PDB file of all heavy atoms in Angstrom:
ATOM      1  N   ALA A1215       0.036  28.311   7.411  1.00 96.00           N
ATOM      2  CA  ALA A1215      -1.064  27.350   7.269  1.00 96.00           C
ATOM      3  C   ALA A1215      -0.487  25.967   7.506  1.00 96.00           C
ATOM      4  O   ALA A1215       0.692  25.807   7.808  1.00 96.00           O
ATOM      5  CB  ALA A1215      -1.683  27.437   5.873  1.00 96.00           C
ATOM      6  N   GLU A1216      -1.322  24.956   7.321  1.00 95.00           N
ATOM      7  CA  GLU A1216      -0.841  23.582   7.366  1.00 95.00           C
ATOM      8  C   GLU A1216      -0.856  23.022   5.953  1.00 95.00           C
ATOM      9  O   GLU A1216      -1.826  23.222   5.206  1.00 95.00           O
ATOM     10  CB  GLU A1216      -1.694  22.724   8.291  1.00 95.00           C
ATOM     11  CG  GLU A1216      -1.117  21.341   8.534  1.00 95.00           C
ATOM     12  CD  GLU A1216      -1.503  20.770   9.881  1.00 95.00           C
ATOM     13  OE1 GLU A1216      -2.529  21.203  10.442  1.00 95.00           O
ATOM     14  OE2 GLU A1216      -0.777  19.854  10.372  1.00 95.00           O
ATOM     15  N   TYR A1217       0.199  22.314   5.617  1.00 97.00           N
ATOM     16  CA  TYR A1217       0.390  21.806   4.270  1.00 97.00           C
ATOM     17  C   TYR A1217       0.407  20.287   4.285  1.00 97.00           C
ATOM     18  O   TYR A1217       1.110  19.666   5.090  1.00 97.00           O
ATOM     19  CB  TYR A1217       1.690  22.357   3.669  1.00 97.00           C
ATOM     20  CG  TYR A1217       1.616  23.839   3.422  1.00 97.00           C
ATOM     21  CD1 TYR A1217       1.795  24.742   4.466  1.00 97.00           C
ATOM     22  CD2 TYR A1217       1.339  24.352   2.156  1.00 97.00           C
ATOM     23  CE1 TYR A1217       1.705  26.114   4.256  1.00 97.00           C
ATOM     24  CE2 TYR A1217       1.246  25.719   1.932  1.00 97.00           C
ATOM     25  CZ  TYR A1217       1.419  26.588   2.989  1.00 97.00           C
ATOM     26  OH  TYR A1217       1.328  27.942   2.774  1.00 97.00           O
ATOM     27  N   PHE A1218      -0.361  19.710   3.362  1.00 96.00           N
ATOM     28  CA  PHE A1218      -0.478  18.258   3.286  1.00 96.00           C
ATOM     29  C   PHE A1218      -0.047  17.770   1.914  1.00 96.00           C
ATOM     30  O   PHE A1218      -0.504  18.268   0.890  1.00 96.00           O
ATOM     31  CB  PHE A1218      -1.931  17.822   3.522  1.00 96.00           C
ATOM     32  CG  PHE A1218      -2.423  18.029   4.926  1.00 96.00           C
ATOM     33  CD1 PHE A1218      -3.086  19.195   5.269  1.00 96.00           C
ATOM     34  CD2 PHE A1218      -2.219  17.065   5.897  1.00 96.00           C
ATOM     35  CE1 PHE A1218      -3.547  19.402   6.558  1.00 96.00           C
ATOM     36  CE2 PHE A1218      -2.671  17.262   7.194  1.00 96.00           C
ATOM     37  CZ  PHE A1218      -3.338  18.422   7.529  1.00 96.00           C
ATOM     38  N   CYS A1219       0.789  16.774   1.950  1.00 96.00           N
ATOM     39  CA  CYS A1219       1.155  16.046   0.741  1.00 96.00           C
ATOM     40  C   CYS A1219       0.254  14.816   0.658  1.00 96.00           C
ATOM     41  O   CYS A1219      -0.099  14.227   1.696  1.00 96.00           O
ATOM     42  CB  CYS A1219       2.626  15.631   0.829  1.00 96.00           C
ATOM     43  SG  CYS A1219       3.268  14.777  -0.603  1.00 96.00           S
ATOM     44  N   ALA A1220      -0.143  14.427  -0.544  1.00 93.00           N
ATOM     45  CA  ALA A1220      -1.013  13.268  -0.695  1.00 93.00           C
ATOM     46  C   ALA A1220      -0.603  12.479  -1.924  1.00 93.00           C
ATOM     47  O   ALA A1220      -0.102  13.044  -2.909  1.00 93.00           O
ATOM     48  CB  ALA A1220      -2.476  13.694  -0.811  1.00 93.00           C
ATOM     49  N   VAL A1221      -0.830  11.176  -1.868  1.00 91.00           N
ATOM     50  CA  VAL A1221      -0.484  10.295  -2.983  1.00 91.00           C
ATOM     51  C   VAL A1221      -1.683   9.427  -3.321  1.00 91.00           C
ATOM     52  O   VAL A1221      -2.417   8.989  -2.451  1.00 91.00           O
ATOM     53  CB  VAL A1221       0.756   9.434  -2.638  1.00 91.00           C
ATOM     54  CG1 VAL A1221       0.479   8.530  -1.432  1.00 91.00           C
ATOM     55  CG2 VAL A1221       1.170   8.581  -3.818  1.00 91.00           C
ATOM     56  N   GLY A1222      -1.887   9.219  -4.619  1.00 85.00           N
ATOM     57  CA  GLY A1222      -2.926   8.321  -5.085  1.00 85.00           C
ATOM     58  C   GLY A1222      -2.350   7.394  -6.126  1.00 85.00           C
ATOM     59  O   GLY A1222      -1.389   7.748  -6.829  1.00 85.00           O
ATOM     60  N   THR A1223      -2.911   6.211  -6.220  1.00 74.00           N
ATOM     61  CA  THR A1223      -2.394   5.251  -7.180  1.00 74.00           C
ATOM     62  C   THR A1223      -3.163   5.274  -8.496  1.00 74.00           C
ATOM     63  O   THR A1223      -2.601   5.004  -9.546  1.00 74.00           O
ATOM     64  CB  THR A1223      -2.464   3.826  -6.608  1.00 74.00           C
ATOM     65  OG1 THR A1223      -3.811   3.555  -6.217  1.00 74.00           O
ATOM     66  CG2 THR A1223      -1.553   3.691  -5.408  1.00 74.00           C
ATOM     67  N   THR A1224      -4.447   5.592  -8.433  1.00 72.00           N
ATOM     68  CA  THR A1224      -5.252   5.600  -9.647  1.00 72.00           C
ATOM     69  C   THR A1224      -5.842   6.979  -9.914  1.00 72.00           C
ATOM     70  O   THR A1224      -6.770   7.116 -10.694  1.00 72.00           O
ATOM     71  CB  THR A1224      -6.411   4.581  -9.521  1.00 72.00           C
ATOM     72  OG1 THR A1224      -7.180   4.909  -8.348  1.00 72.00           O
ATOM     73  CG2 THR A1224      -5.881   3.175  -9.407  1.00 72.00           C
ATOM     74  N   GLY A1225      -5.303   7.985  -9.236  1.00 69.00           N
ATOM     75  CA  GLY A1225      -5.849   9.337  -9.403  1.00 69.00           C
ATOM     76  C   GLY A1225      -6.192   9.905  -8.061  1.00 69.00           C
ATOM     77  O   GLY A1225      -5.472   9.716  -7.091  1.00 69.00           O
ATOM     78  N   PHE A1226      -7.301  10.585  -7.976  1.00 71.00           N
ATOM     79  CA  PHE A1226      -7.650  11.283  -6.756  1.00 71.00           C
ATOM     80  C   PHE A1226      -8.656  10.514  -5.908  1.00 71.00           C
ATOM     81  O   PHE A1226      -8.990  10.942  -4.820  1.00 71.00           O
ATOM     82  CB  PHE A1226      -8.264  12.645  -7.111  1.00 71.00           C
ATOM     83  CG  PHE A1226      -9.544  12.525  -7.892  1.00 71.00           C
ATOM     84  CD1 PHE A1226     -10.759  12.469  -7.241  1.00 71.00           C
ATOM     85  CD2 PHE A1226      -9.526  12.427  -9.271  1.00 71.00           C
ATOM     86  CE1 PHE A1226     -11.942  12.349  -7.965  1.00 71.00           C
ATOM     87  CE2 PHE A1226     -10.696  12.294  -9.994  1.00 71.00           C
ATOM     88  CZ  PHE A1226     -11.912  12.254  -9.336  1.00 71.00           C
ATOM     89  N   GLN A1227      -9.164   9.375  -6.409  1.00 76.00           N
ATOM     90  CA  GLN A1227     -10.284   8.728  -5.730  1.00 76.00           C
ATOM     91  C   GLN A1227      -9.918   8.195  -4.356  1.00 76.00           C
ATOM     92  O   GLN A1227     -10.693   8.295  -3.418  1.00 76.00           O
ATOM     93  CB  GLN A1227     -10.848   7.584  -6.583  1.00 76.00           C
ATOM     94  CG  GLN A1227     -11.526   8.033  -7.859  1.00 76.00           C
ATOM     95  CD  GLN A1227     -10.545   8.165  -9.007  1.00 76.00           C
ATOM     96  OE1 GLN A1227      -9.346   8.141  -8.798  1.00 76.00           O
ATOM     97  NE2 GLN A1227     -11.052   8.303 -10.211  1.00 76.00           N
ATOM     98  N   LYS A1228      -8.778   7.588  -4.230  1.00 80.00           N
ATOM     99  CA  LYS A1228      -8.334   7.052  -2.944  1.00 80.00           C
ATOM    100  C   LYS A1228      -6.980   7.666  -2.630  1.00 80.00           C
ATOM    101  O   LYS A1228      -5.942   7.159  -3.013  1.00 80.00           O
ATOM    102  CB  LYS A1228      -8.222   5.532  -2.989  1.00 80.00           C
ATOM    103  CG  LYS A1228      -9.580   4.823  -2.998  1.00 80.00           C
ATOM    104  CD  LYS A1228      -9.418   3.321  -3.042  1.00 80.00           C
ATOM    105  CE  LYS A1228      -8.884   2.751  -1.745  1.00 80.00           C
ATOM    106  NZ  LYS A1228      -9.868   2.733  -0.658  1.00 80.00           N
ATOM    107  N   LEU A1229      -7.025   8.782  -1.966  1.00 86.00           N
ATOM    108  CA  LEU A1229      -5.797   9.486  -1.614  1.00 86.00           C
ATOM    109  C   LEU A1229      -5.331   9.101  -0.223  1.00 86.00           C
ATOM    110  O   LEU A1229      -6.153   8.940   0.688  1.00 86.00           O
ATOM    111  CB  LEU A1229      -6.011  10.998  -1.652  1.00 86.00           C
ATOM    112  CG  LEU A1229      -6.167  11.666  -3.012  1.00 86.00           C
ATOM    113  CD1 LEU A1229      -6.236  13.175  -2.848  1.00 86.00           C
ATOM    114  CD2 LEU A1229      -5.019  11.292  -3.931  1.00 86.00           C
ATOM    115  N   VAL A1230      -4.023   8.983  -0.066  1.00 89.00           N
ATOM    116  CA  VAL A1230      -3.410   8.822   1.243  1.00 89.00           C
ATOM    117  C   VAL A1230      -2.680  10.118   1.552  1.00 89.00           C
ATOM    118  O   VAL A1230      -1.820  10.547   0.781  1.00 89.00           O
ATOM    119  CB  VAL A1230      -2.445   7.629   1.267  1.00 89.00           C
ATOM    120  CG1 VAL A1230      -1.697   7.582   2.595  1.00 89.00           C
ATOM    121  CG2 VAL A1230      -3.203   6.336   1.026  1.00 89.00           C
ATOM    122  N   PHE A1231      -3.036  10.721   2.657  1.00 92.00           N
ATOM    123  CA  PHE A1231      -2.448  12.001   3.043  1.00 92.00           C
ATOM    124  C   PHE A1231      -1.312  11.796   4.034  1.00 92.00           C
ATOM    125  O   PHE A1231      -1.333  10.869   4.858  1.00 92.00           O
ATOM    126  CB  PHE A1231      -3.491  12.899   3.695  1.00 92.00           C
ATOM    127  CG  PHE A1231      -4.441  13.549   2.731  1.00 92.00           C
ATOM    128  CD1 PHE A1231      -5.543  12.857   2.248  1.00 92.00           C
ATOM    129  CD2 PHE A1231      -4.238  14.852   2.303  1.00 92.00           C
ATOM    130  CE1 PHE A1231      -6.428  13.454   1.359  1.00 92.00           C
ATOM    131  CE2 PHE A1231      -5.118  15.460   1.412  1.00 92.00           C
ATOM    132  CZ  PHE A1231      -6.212  14.756   0.937  1.00 92.00           C
ATOM    133  N   GLY A1232      -0.339  12.696   3.978  1.00 94.00           N
ATOM    134  CA  GLY A1232       0.661  12.762   5.026  1.00 94.00           C
ATOM    135  C   GLY A1232       0.077  13.404   6.265  1.00 94.00           C
ATOM    136  O   GLY A1232      -1.078  13.834   6.286  1.00 94.00           O
ATOM    137  N   THR A1233       0.893  13.460   7.313  1.00 94.00           N
ATOM    138  CA  THR A1233       0.415  13.984   8.591  1.00 94.00           C
ATOM    139  C   THR A1233       0.450  15.500   8.659  1.00 94.00           C
ATOM    140  O   THR A1233      -0.014  16.086   9.621  1.00 94.00           O
ATOM    141  CB  THR A1233       1.233  13.413   9.741  1.00 94.00           C
ATOM    142  OG1 THR A1233       2.620  13.617   9.466  1.00 94.00           O
ATOM    143  CG2 THR A1233       0.973  11.914   9.896  1.00 94.00           C
ATOM    144  N   GLY A1234       0.996  16.130   7.637  1.00 95.00           N
ATOM    145  CA  GLY A1234       0.949  17.585   7.563  1.00 95.00           C
ATOM    146  C   GLY A1234       2.179  18.265   8.142  1.00 95.00           C
ATOM    147  O   GLY A1234       2.847  17.730   9.038  1.00 95.00           O
ATOM    148  N   THR A1235       2.475  19.436   7.628  1.00 96.00           N
ATOM    149  CA  THR A1235       3.533  20.315   8.158  1.00 96.00           C
ATOM    150  C   THR A1235       2.914  21.681   8.400  1.00 96.00           C
ATOM    151  O   THR A1235       2.344  22.282   7.483  1.00 96.00           O
ATOM    152  CB  THR A1235       4.703  20.471   7.176  1.00 96.00           C
ATOM    153  OG1 THR A1235       5.330  19.209   6.970  1.00 96.00           O
ATOM    154  CG2 THR A1235       5.737  21.458   7.728  1.00 96.00           C
ATOM    155  N   ARG A1236       3.038  22.142   9.631  1.00 96.00           N
ATOM    156  CA  ARG A1236       2.495  23.466   9.953  1.00 96.00           C
ATOM    157  C   ARG A1236       3.575  24.511   9.727  1.00 96.00           C
ATOM    158  O   ARG A1236       4.668  24.422  10.294  1.00 96.00           O
ATOM    159  CB  ARG A1236       2.025  23.518  11.400  1.00 96.00           C
ATOM    160  CG  ARG A1236       1.385  24.870  11.766  1.00 96.00           C
ATOM    161  CD  ARG A1236       0.655  24.821  13.097  1.00 96.00           C
ATOM    162  NE  ARG A1236      -0.433  23.890  13.088  1.00 96.00           N
ATOM    163  CZ  ARG A1236      -1.644  24.132  12.596  1.00 96.00           C
ATOM    164  NH1 ARG A1236      -1.903  25.313  12.049  1.00 96.00           N
ATOM    165  NH2 ARG A1236      -2.587  23.217  12.649  1.00 96.00           N
TER     166      ARG A1236
END
Side-chain angles (χ1 to χ4, degrees):
Chain A
E1216 189 151 23
Y1217 292 80
F1218 291 93
C1219 182
V1221 62
T1223 55
T1224 57
F1226 63 91
Q1227 293 87 348
K1228 287 180 71 74
L1229 288 185
V1230 173
F1231 283 82
T1233 52
T1235 297
R1236 183 168 298 278

